[in-house]
């Protein structure tokens, strides 16, 4: 039995006879080791052309590596040399540029506004085709033209305002001193004309058709 070689299981580590194909402990199949020896490459044989080319390649690789290391060191030296003078001198902040001085315009004296003189109106009267009216009657749908006359009569473009006390009964379309009264509903409404504080009224009774 001492002449039979022992094999160590690659899984559990137990030794067993080389006559067995599997480990009696864990059942792992043993692996046959190859007895083949890899052949020698041509570049490893001295005196061959491949060996000479390999030697030249190694030489150029060493030269290229040395040049690369020298270039990196030179770049670091240049960077340090450039940064040292700037590190010694304190950084001076940029001074802000003052804005240009412009001649301030001298304020011109403001003109005092001219006071507006309100015309004096003593009274206002309402006319229907030249007839003085303080009241009249009409029917729904009628349109009645009226004219307001302020006194004194020498006023130029006087400001005249027409109003209706009930727009559900009377609607007024006015243009200065002239106005058109539209009866839109039955009832009683009052027309008021105002001109510079003076006013006149006219009572209107609207009946349905």
């Amino acid at each position: 039995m001492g002449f039979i070689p022992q094999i160590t299981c690659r899984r559990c580590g137990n030794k067993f006879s080389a006559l067995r194909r599997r480990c009696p402990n864990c059942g792992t199949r043993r692996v046959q080791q190859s007895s083949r020896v890899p052949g020698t490459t041509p570049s490893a044989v001295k005196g061959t052309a491949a060996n000479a080319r390999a030697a030249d390649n190694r030489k150029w690789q060493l030269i290229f590596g040395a040049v690369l290391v020298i270039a990196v060191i030179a770049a670091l030296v240049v960077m340090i040399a450039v940064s040292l003078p700037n590190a010694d001198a304190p950084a001076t902040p940029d001074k802000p540029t003052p804005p240009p001085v412009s001649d301030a315009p001298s304020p011109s004296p403001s003109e005092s506004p001219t006071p507006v003189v309100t015309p004096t109106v003593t009274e206002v009267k309402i006319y229907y085709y030249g007839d003085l009216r303080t009241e009249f009657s009409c029917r729904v749908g009628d349109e009645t033209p009226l004219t307001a006359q302020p006194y004194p009569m020498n006023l130029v473009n006087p400001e005249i305002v027409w109003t209706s006390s009930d727009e559900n009964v009377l609607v007024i379309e006015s243009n200065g001193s002239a106005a058109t009264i539209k009866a839109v509903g039955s009832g009683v409404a009052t027309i008021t004309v105002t001109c510079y504080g003076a006013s006149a009224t006219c009572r209107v009774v609207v009946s349905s058709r």
Side-chain angles (χ1 to χ4, degrees), residues 25-26 37 64 66 88 94 100 115 120 125 129 131 141 144 154 158 162 176 180 184 194 200:
N25 184 36
C26 63
V37 178
F64 178 75
D88 295 338
D94 296 335
T120 302
K125 293 182 179 181
Y129 289 114
D131 295 334
T144 305
N154 57 355
W162 296 77
T180 301
V184 294
T194 305

Side-chain angles (χ1 to χ4, degrees), residues 73-166:
I73 294 174
L76 292 175
V77 171
V78 171
M79 292 175 61
I80 294 173
V82 170
S83 61
L84 284 178
N86 295 332
D88 295 338
T92 57
D94 296 335
K95 295 182 179 180
T97 304
V101 179
S102 59
D103 295 336
S106 58
S108 57
S110 58
E111 298 180 357
S112 58
T114 304
V116 179
V117 179
T118 302
T120 302
V121 177
T122 58
E123 62 178 342
V124 181
K125 293 182 179 181
I126 300 175
Y127 291 93
Y128 172 73
Y129 289 114
D131 295 334
L132 180 63
R133 292 285 177 159
T134 57
E135 64 177 353
F136 66 91
S137 60
C138 60
R139 293 182 178 181
V140 175
D142 292 346
E143 296 184 1
T144 305
L146 297 179
T147 303
Q149 178 60 61
Y151 292 91
M153 299 178 62
N154 57 355
L155 298 178
V156 179
N157 296 326
E159 296 180 2
I160 299 176
V161 179
W162 296 77
T163 58
S164 172
S165 63
D166 189 353

Side-chain angles (χ1 to χ4, degrees), residues 4-81:
I4 299 175
Q6 297 290 317
I7 297 174
T8 303
C9 179
R10 57 189 176 86
R11 183 174 182 182
C12 63
N14 291 333
K15 292 185 178 182
F16 59 94
S17 174
L19 298 178
R20 294 177 176 272
R21 294 185 177 182
R22 295 181 180 273
C23 176
N25 184 36
C26 63
T28 302
R29 185 182 183 86
R30 69 185 179 89
V31 178
Q32 297 287 342
Q33 295 182 353
S34 177
S35 60
R36 296 181 59 186
V37 178
T40 305
T41 59
S43 60
V45 180
K46 294 183 179 181
T48 61
N51 182 265
R53 287 195 300 271
D56 290 339
N57 290 337
R58 287 192 296 271
K59 181 179 66 176
W60 284 110
Q61 289 175 358
L62 292 175
I63 294 174
F64 178 75
V67 171
L68 183 61
V69 171
I70 293 173
V72 172
I73 294 174
L76 292 175
V77 171
V78 171
M79 292 175 61
I80 294 173

